[in-house]
Amino acid sequence: MRCPYSGLPNPLCFSSVPGRVRVAVRLRPRNAEESVADADFADCVELQPELKRLKLRKNNWDTDTYEFDEVLTESASQKRVYEVVAKPVVEGVLDGYNGTIMAYGQTGTGKTYTLGRLGEEDTANRGIMVRAMEDILAEVSPEIDSVLVSYLQLYMESLQDLLDPTNDNISIVHVKRTVKGREPAHSSDNGNSTSMARSLRPPLIRKGKLVVVDLAGSERIDKSGSDGHTREEAKSINLSLSALGKCINALAENSAHVPVRDSKLTRLLRDSFGGTARTSLVITVGPSPRHRGETASTIMFGQRAMKVENMLKLKEEFDYKSLARRLDIQLDKLIMEHERKQKAFEVEIERITAEAQNRISEAERNYADAVEKERLKYQNDYMESIKKLEEKWMMNQQNQGNERKEQMVHIAEEVAEVKKLLSKETSLRKAAEEEVDNLKSQLAQLKMSEASANSEILKLRKMVEDEVCQKEKLEGEISMLQSQLLHLSFKADETTKRLDRGGPGKVPGGLDSPVSQFRSQLKDSGNGEKASVAKLFEQVGLQKILSLLKAEDADVRIHAVKVVANLAAEETNQQKIVEAGGLKSLLMLLGSSEDETIHRVAAGAIANLAMNEKNQELIMSQGGISLLSTTASHAKDPQTLRMVAGAIANLCGNDKLQTKLRGEGGIKALLEIVKCGHPDVLAQVARGIANFAKCESRASTQGSKTGRSLLIEDGALPWIVQNANSDASPIRRHIELALCHLAQHEVNAKDMISEGALWELVRISQDCPREDIRTLAHRTLASSPDFIAGLKRL
């Protein structure tokens, strides 16, 4: 492989390792002082530019050889130095990469000459900084590109702007270029739509930052000969250069920690060494054997820098500001065009209005003329009609005698017709009288039916009165049962507390009462066992207990729901409660009651019923998740939240309900409950998340689920990672199990790595007290390609 800058073979060429720091060494010729003082001594440095080597004389017979990316003799021109050291970096900056050009060496070896020479007397002596600015300004376009320049000085750990000393907000700025020819092609039959789509597309710009650094002299303080304030300056310089050397050493040795915060210089150059910039370093040395120690230190600095590799990164982004300006201009043009068209439209409207008015006026005139003509026509017709009527009247007077005779004949005919009608009416009246007699007989029959109906009504009234009496009797019996239930519930609670304390105690009660039966059961079963609550209320009956859940008295409802909760704690009673409608009643209590005691006890009873798979499906089908979520959002007592979280946790363990539970807000309800912070509540939430993750892992293994975990999509992963190492062992155990199940599916690996779960898996695989979880974590880390790659990076 040949170097693209010199054309010579070079194993350390930039192209072999694109991000490696490129280092060139430049030898300064002897100055007048050295020519006199070192006249009897040979140079301590020997260059072999064709081999890219430098030999440093240790003594008259021994030398050390070093290889660099470029070796520049004392006769190398400023142009040559720029082309091999800086030009590739400048071209990269124009292409959108960050770049750094740095000079390092002993004071007086030519750092500032190499970098900052202005070339005012001789343009051939222009340094890297001037030539780089010339190349940048020659390449950019003032219309679409921009170049910003800052000139800074780091003096005794204080950053100063040399162009604007009053500026205290100092930043290193970018060359910004617009990229042409990168717009995607769009085909359309309508050229206007294509133009509009292109105008709405923001231009693509590239930003590159070029940092040119002229470091201070690297010689020791005692050799610099400085004193007083100058000595303090030299100390500060040495501290900064020492911090830079430590960073380069750490990067060259692939150390996990790079101390970039030890100095402002290293913070400014954190992108140049180990960052994303393309970096070229030129180290300057002198030939004098008196400074062989400083020369050797400079050479070793360059050798270590050559081991540093950066991750080059192209910086491209859309120029939305330019798009906004362009759209503003287009908007102004459209507004002006719209105003012009609006004005033309108004003029056209005025013209059409005037034309319409003229036509209306003409039509009105024509209408008036036509009306007048019609009036005259009708007047003439009227006069003619009057004349004709008068003539006809005269003729009628003549024919009147004949008409009277005809009228008498007509009257006689009419009288005969009336007689016929009278005869017909008489026959119709006789038929109507017969119909009335028929109706009277029917009325008598109806009265007899009415008497029979009245007797039936009396019977029905008696039956209703009997039903009312029976109802009153039943209400009295229910009242008695309510008082018995209150008494029994109070005594049962008191007895349970005594049994929990282990004390013998006495259970009061009347003769032949259920409490007496309960006391005898306690005596038969022993002091250490609890009698079944279901047997205690066999005489009362489950239906009557459930009916008391709807009682108007709040105390009755509270005691009734406690009894149901105690019954639901035994698996043998759960199916009976569900079949009798107890589950539906408990869910209705969650939605209708505002008493938190009822909420707590009802949620506990639902949690007990939710341990059965068939009951879980019933709870989901009756909107149980929504009711439990609403209860949790209004609850203030941690025990209520614990009961709600326990019920949801049991539902999370059903494979069939995963999607529906998540869709109705079950996961988000658990994440809201964790705000309580109570350890018992958090343990139930952790159990629910572990159950959900286990079901998801099983579904992924069976192939019935693809894609990311629903827990991750609902934002549960940060809380899981945060509590993975909780001091409470129940929380930690469930969270560790949840992490292991989530890690089983490869599609979750990237999210888990980004949220820090990888370290927790490593900890679980080493420190978890449960061997099965520890083995599962270890097997997951060893089988996941993403986890293996993440561990290698870390």
Side-chain angles (χ1 to χ4, degrees):
M1 181 180 293
R2 292 182 176 271
C3 176
Y5 312 104
S6 64
L8 298 175
N10 183 11
L12 298 177
C13 179
F14 239 5
S15 60
S16 60
V17 183
R20 182 177 64 77
V21 175
R22 179 179 171 82
V23 181
V25 59
R26 188 181 193 187
L27 176 63
R28 172 183 59 77
R30 286 195 177 193
N31 54 31
E33 179 187 354
E34 292 172 345
S35 298
V36 175
D38 300 332
D40 297 333
F41 300 96
D43 292 347
C44 68
V45 176
E46 178 185 350
L47 301 182
Q48 294 177 333
E50 67 281 356
L51 298 177
K52 306 294 178 66
R53 290 179 181 174
L54 177 147
K55 290 186 176 181
L56 179 64
R57 297 181 185 274
K58 298 173 64 176
N59 46 50
N60 290 334
W61 57 86
D62 193 8
T63 61
D64 289 331
T65 303
Y66 303 94
E67 291 187 0
F68 291 93
D69 294 292
E70 195 65 44
V71 175
L72 302 168
T73 65
E74 60 269 26
S75 61
S77 65
Q78 291 282 71
K79 181 179 179 181
R80 167 70 175 166
V81 173
Y82 174 73
E83 289 179 347
V84 300
V85 174
K87 191 167 185 177
V89 178
V90 174
E91 291 175 348
V93 170
L94 292 172
D95 288 337
Y97 294 92
N98 291 342
T100 302
I101 305 169
M102 184 183 304
Y104 179 88
Q106 183 183 1
T107 301
T109 55
K111 299 187 301 299
T112 304
Y113 176 82
T114 300
L115 290 180
R117 188 77 171 182
L118 297 178
E120 296 174 341
E121 298 176 356
D122 185 359
T123 57
N125 291 333
R126 289 170 299 157
I128 288 176
M129 190 183 302
V130 176
R131 293 177 185 270
M133 184 59 68
E134 290 174 350
D135 281 358
I136 291 173
L137 295 178
E139 288 290 329
V140 299
S141 173
E143 291 80 10
I144 59 175
D145 301 333
S146 65
V147 179
L148 302 177
V149 179
S150 57
Y151 194 30
L152 313 177
Q153 171 180 272
L154 183 61
Y155 177 73
M156 297 186 70
E157 288 299 300
S158 175
L159 199 60
Q160 301 171 355
D161 191 337
L162 299 180
L163 298 178
D164 183 9
T166 62
N167 181 21
D168 57 355
N169 184 16
I170 301 172
S171 62
I172 301 176
V173 295
H174 315 290
V175 177
K176 183 169 69 174
R177 304 193 70 188
T178 301
V179 181
K180 296 182 179 179
R182 289 293 300 275
E183 298 181 350
H186 293 274
S187 61
S188 175
D189 295 336
N190 189 351
N192 292 333
S193 62
T194 303
S195 175
M196 180 62 70
R198 187 179 295 108
S199 65
L200 293 178
R201 190 180 305 113
L204 187 65
I205 62 172
R206 286 179 178 172
K207 291 184 178 180
K209 175 177 65 178
L210 176 61
V211 181
V212 182
V213 184
D214 184 5
L215 294 172
S218 60
E219 65 275 0
R220 298 189 301 274
I221 296 177
D222 54 354
K223 197 160 188 176
S224 66
S226 56
D227 195 10
H229 184 69
T230 307
R231 187 176 183 86
E232 294 299 321
E233 292 179 353
K235 287 181 180 179
S236 177
I237 291 169
N238 278 355
L239 286 175
S240 295
L241 294 179
S242 175
L244 178 61
K246 290 179 181 179
C247 291
I248 291 177
N249 287 342
L251 290 168
E253 296 172 359
N254 292 324
S255 175
H257 172 66
V258 181
V260 294
R261 297 182 178 274
D262 290 357
S263 169
K264 285 189 177 180
L265 176 63
T266 54
R267 287 199 293 272
L268 286 174
L269 298 180
R270 63 181 178 274
D271 195 42
S272 303
F273 292 98
T276 62
R278 174 174 287 160
T279 302
S280 280
L281 170 66
V282 55
I283 59 173
T284 58
V285 297
S288 175
R290 290 181 297 162
H291 304 301
R292 194 184 64 82
E294 282 70 18
T295 300
S297 174
T298 300
I299 291 172
M300 293 309 299
F301 182 88
Q303 289 287 302
R304 288 191 296 270
M306 289 176 67
K307 298 180 181 180
V308 177
E309 295 182 13
N310 295 343
M311 301 293 291
L312 302 185
K313 182 179 181 182
L314 179 64
K315 298 188 67 176
E316 286 185 343
E317 62 184 35
F318 290 109
D319 189 1
Y320 292 102
K321 292 184 179 178
S322 175
L323 175 62
R325 291 193 297 270
R326 190 167 68 206
L327 291 178
D328 286 340
I329 294 172
Q330 291 183 3
L331 181 60
D332 293 338
K333 290 181 180 178
L334 291 174
I335 291 173
M336 293 175 63
E337 180 68 16
H338 174 72
E339 291 176 351
R340 184 185 65 77
K341 291 182 178 179
Q342 183 70 20
K343 187 174 182 180
F345 177 74
E346 291 175 354
V347 171
E348 182 68 15
I349 290 296
E350 292 177 357
R351 184 187 67 78
I352 294 173
T353 303
E355 184 177 353
Q357 290 292 341
N358 294 332
R359 291 184 178 180
I360 290 171
S361 299
E362 184 178 357
E364 287 177 348
R365 289 194 299 271
N366 294 335
Y367 176 74
D369 294 341
V371 169
E372 182 63 21
K373 290 179 180 180
E374 288 291 326
R375 188 184 67 79
L376 293 175
K377 179 182 177 183
Y378 285 127
Q379 186 175 2
N380 294 331
D381 293 342
Y382 173 75
M383 296 303 295
E384 291 178 358
S385 298
I386 292 297
K387 186 176 179 180
K388 289 179 179 180
L389 288 173
E390 287 177 351
E391 292 176 353
K392 188 176 182 181
W393 183 76
M394 293 297 294
M395 291 176 67
N396 288 335
Q397 288 294 328
Q398 295 176 0
N399 298 325
Q400 188 175 8
N402 298 328
E403 290 178 357
R404 286 180 179 176
K405 292 179 180 180
E406 293 176 356
Q407 288 178 356
M408 292 299 293
V409 173
H410 182 67
I411 290 171
E413 292 177 352
E414 289 181 353
V415 169
E417 185 69 22
V418 168
K419 288 181 178 180
K420 291 180 180 180
L421 292 174
L422 181 61
S423 175
K424 187 177 181 179
E425 287 292 331
T426 302
S427 62
L428 289 175
R429 179 179 178 184
K430 290 180 178 179
E433 289 176 353
E434 293 176 357
E435 184 69 21
V436 168
D437 292 338
N438 190 16
L439 291 175
K440 285 181 179 179
S441 63
Q442 291 181 4
L443 179 62
Q445 292 178 358
L446 289 174
K447 287 183 177 179
M448 293 175 63
S449 299
E450 182 181 2
S452 176
N454 288 333
S455 63
E456 290 293 331
I457 290 172
L458 290 175
K459 293 179 181 179
L460 291 174
R461 283 181 179 176
K462 186 176 181 181
M463 291 175 63
V464 170
E465 290 175 356
D466 293 340
E467 289 291 335
V468 171
C469 293
Q470 184 68 20
K471 181 179 178 182
E472 291 177 353
K473 182 178 180 181
L474 290 175
E475 287 178 352
E477 185 178 348
I478 289 173
S479 300
M480 181 179 67
L481 288 174
Q482 287 179 348
S483 61
Q484 277 187 350
L485 180 60
L486 289 174
H487 183 71
L488 291 173
S489 176
F490 174 77
K491 295 303 180 181
D493 288 345
E494 182 179 357
T495 305
T496 302
K497 292 178 182 178
R498 290 178 179 175
L499 290 174
D500 290 339
R501 291 195 300 266
K506 293 184 178 180
V507 182
L511 295 175
D512 298 329
S513 67
V515 179
S516 301
Q517 297 177 7
F518 177 67
R519 182 172 56 189
S520 64
Q521 290 173 1
L522 289 178
K523 184 176 181 181
D524 295 338
S525 60
N527 293 331
E529 298 180 1
K530 293 184 179 180
S532 173
V533 180
K535 294 181 180 179
L536 181 65
F537 295 99
E538 284 180 353
Q539 292 184 348
V540 177
L542 181 60
Q543 285 291 349
K544 292 183 179 180
I545 295 175
L546 292 178
S547 67
L548 296 179
L549 294 176
K550 301 177 182 179
E552 295 182 358
D553 192 334
D555 292 335
V556 174
R557 290 199 305 273
I558 291 173
H559 288 290
V561 77
K562 285 183 178 180
V563 172
V564 174
N566 287 329
L567 291 172
E570 295 186 11
E571 187 175 357
T572 56
N573 299 327
Q574 292 178 356
Q575 190 62 28
K576 297 178 182 177
I577 293 174
V578 173
E579 292 176 353
L583 175 59
K584 184 176 181 181
S585 299
L586 291 171
L587 291 173
M588 289 179 61
L589 276 180
L590 286 183
S592 61
S593 177
E594 297 180 356
D595 190 287
E596 187 157 1
T597 301
I598 292 179
H599 287 172
R600 180 177 67 253
V601 181
I606 293 171
N608 288 333
L609 295 176
M611 290 188 291
N612 180 279
E613 183 176 353
K614 185 177 180 181
N615 294 343
Q616 292 171 355
E617 296 177 358
L618 288 174
I619 292 171
M620 291 295 297
S621 65
Q622 296 180 17
I625 283 294
S626 300
L627 292 171
L628 290 170
S629 301
T630 303
T631 302
S633 64
H634 294 93
K636 297 180 181 179
D637 186 1
Q639 295 304 318
T640 304
L641 292 174
R642 182 173 69 88
M643 296 298 181
V644 173
I648 298 177
N650 289 339
L651 295 174
C652 286
N654 192 320
D655 294 1
K656 303 176 183 177
L657 305 178
Q658 294 269 293
T659 304
K660 186 174 182 181
L661 186 142
R662 185 254 186 163
E664 295 184 5
I667 298 175
K668 292 185 178 179
L670 288 177
L671 296 178
E672 286 294 322
I673 291 175
V674 301
K675 296 179 181 178
C676 168
H678 195 280
D680 293 342
V681 178
L682 297 183
Q684 292 298 324
V685 173
R687 182 171 68 87
I689 289 176
N691 287 343
F692 198 95
K694 183 177 180 180
C695 291
E696 277 195 329
S697 176
R698 186 161 51 240
S700 299
T701 303
Q702 296 171 355
S704 60
K705 183 188 184 305
T706 59
R708 293 195 312 165
S709 168
L710 299 179
L711 291 171
I712 295 177
E713 290 186 358
D714 278 3
L717 186 56
W719 184 85
I720 294 174
V721 174
Q722 181 183 356
N723 291 271
N725 200 14
S726 173
D727 293 336
S729 59
I731 300 175
R732 184 175 65 253
R733 182 176 68 254
H734 291 307
I735 292 298
E736 289 175 346
L737 187 60
L739 277 174
C740 290
H741 285 304
L742 286 175
Q744 293 292 304
H745 198 29
E746 184 68 17
V747 75
N748 299 329
K750 292 183 179 179
D751 292 301
M752 296 184 71
I753 292 173
S754 63
E755 291 292 342
L758 178 57
W759 285 119
E760 294 301 332
L761 286 172
V762 173
R763 179 190 61 76
I764 293 169
S765 67
Q766 297 175 354
D767 301 335
C768 181
R770 285 184 54 177
E771 184 178 358
D772 55 340
I773 298 179
R774 192 168 62 248
T775 303
L776 181 60
H778 186 273
R779 186 171 65 248
T780 301
L781 290 173
S783 61
S784 170
D786 286 338
F787 287 151
I788 294 172
L791 289 174
K792 288 182 179 179
R793 285 196 301 272
L794 295 174

